[in-house]
Amino acid sequence: MSQTRADDRLIVALDVPNALDGLDLARRLGDAVSFYKIGLGMLTGGGLALANELKQDHGKRIFLDMKFFDIGATVEAAVRGIAQFDLDFLTVHGDPNVVRAAKDGASGKDLKILAVTVLTSLERADLDAALIRPGDVRDIVVERAGRAFAAGADGVICSPREAALVRALPEAAGRLIVTPGVRPAGAALGDQKRVATPAQAIADGADHIVVGRPVWAAPDPVSAARAIIEELS
C-alpha cells in the first residue's frame, strides 16, 4: 500500500486499557497518525503519563478528553494543572460558566478548550431520561455551541450530523469543530448513535474527526488509519 502522510484532521482515540497498550498501538501506527485522544477510561491506567510521552518524546498532538464539569473554581484549578503539560486540546462540558472557568485556567497557555455540546451516544430519549428540556437534539446542540463560543470556547465537540449547522453560526468563525461519532463506511456503530463517514464530517465543517474502534480494533490498524486519511483526501 502506498505511504500516506499523517493528516492531523484524523484524531485516533486510544480507547485501550492502559498506557502500555496505548504506547504499543502508537508505535505500531508510527508516522501514519499524528494526533491522539486520551480519555477518562485510561486516566487511572497511566493516561496522563502516556499523553506526555507521546507529546514530548514522539512529537504527537494530544487531545485530553476529560469532559470537566464542576464549580468554576474547581474547573479552573483542574485546567491550570493540565495546562502545564503543553498538550493541545482539552474538553469540558459546554455550560458557559464551566467554559469561562476553563479558559481562565488555560490563560497564557496554548491549550485549546473544547466544549461538549451533546454526547454523540445520546438521542432524544436519552435527553428525556436526563430531564433535558424538550426539543430537537440538533437545535439543542447548536444553541449550546453558540453559548459556549460566546463564553470563549476555542471549539466545540458535536456529532457530524450537527457540524454544518454549528459551522454556519457567525460565532463559529475561526473556531474549531471536532466530531466524534465518525465511522468509515461499513464499520460497526458500537455505542455511537449520531454518526457520519469521515469525508462527510469534514465536508460539513469539522476540522478534526475522532475515530477509535475502527482503527485500534482493526486487524491492520495502520491500513485502517491510512484508508481514513485517503478518504479525507
Side-chain angles (χ1 to χ4, degrees), residues 57-213:
D57 298 343
H58 300 271
K60 304 299 184 181
R61 300 186 70 191
I62 298 296
F63 168 11
L64 201 61
D65 188 19
M66 295 290 105
K67 300 184 182 73
F68 287 145
F69 181 77
D70 212 312
I71 64 171
T74 300
V75 170
E76 182 179 349
V79 174
R80 184 174 293 112
I82 293 295
Q84 68 181 317
F85 294 109
D86 193 33
L87 304 177
D88 297 274
F89 294 173
L90 174 70
T91 49
V92 302
H93 276 265
D95 304 52
N97 60 307
V98 175
V99 173
R100 284 191 290 267
K103 285 295 294 179
D104 287 342
S107 179
K109 300 292 186 178
D110 292 331
L111 181 67
K112 302 296 185 188
I113 300 299
L114 305 182
V116 176
T117 54
V118 175
L119 297 175
T120 53
S121 61
L122 303 182
E123 295 177 322
R124 183 62 252 178
D126 301 302
L127 301 187
D128 291 341
L131 305 181
I132 305 298
R133 69 171 173 81
D136 187 89
V137 175
R138 293 172 299 178
D139 295 337
I140 294 173
V141 168
V142 172
E143 186 172 350
R144 280 180 62 81
R147 293 186 182 192
F149 287 142
D154 299 296
V156 298
I157 307 292
C158 67
S159 96
R161 294 189 185 179
E162 296 102 31
L165 296 170
V166 173
R167 180 54 71 200
L169 289 171
E171 305 95 316
R175 310 291 183 96
L176 294 164
I177 296 176
V178 179
T179 57
V182 173
R183 289 289 184 269
L189 297 185
D191 57 1
Q192 301 293 343
K193 295 179 181 176
R194 303 185 341 268
V195 304
T197 63
Q200 188 63 54
I202 294 295
D204 284 344
D207 297 284
H208 300 274
I209 60 170
V210 180
V211 183
R213 190 176 293 106

Side-chain angles (χ1 to χ4, degrees), residues 20-81:
L20 291 177
D21 289 343
L23 186 59
D24 178 65
L25 177 60
R27 285 172 172 160
R28 290 167 63 196
L29 289 168
D31 294 337
V33 174
S34 60
F35 211 151
Y36 288 101
K37 180 175 86 75
I38 295 173
L40 278 172
M42 202 201 288
L43 187 61
T44 57
L48 190 54
L50 175 61
N52 287 325
E53 182 166 350
L54 290 176
K55 177 75 176 184
Q56 303 302 330
D57 298 343
H58 300 271
K60 304 299 184 181
R61 300 186 70 191
I62 298 296
F63 168 11
L64 201 61
D65 188 19
M66 295 290 105
K67 300 184 182 73
F68 287 145
F69 181 77
D70 212 312
I71 64 171
T74 300
V75 170
E76 182 179 349
V79 174
R80 184 174 293 112

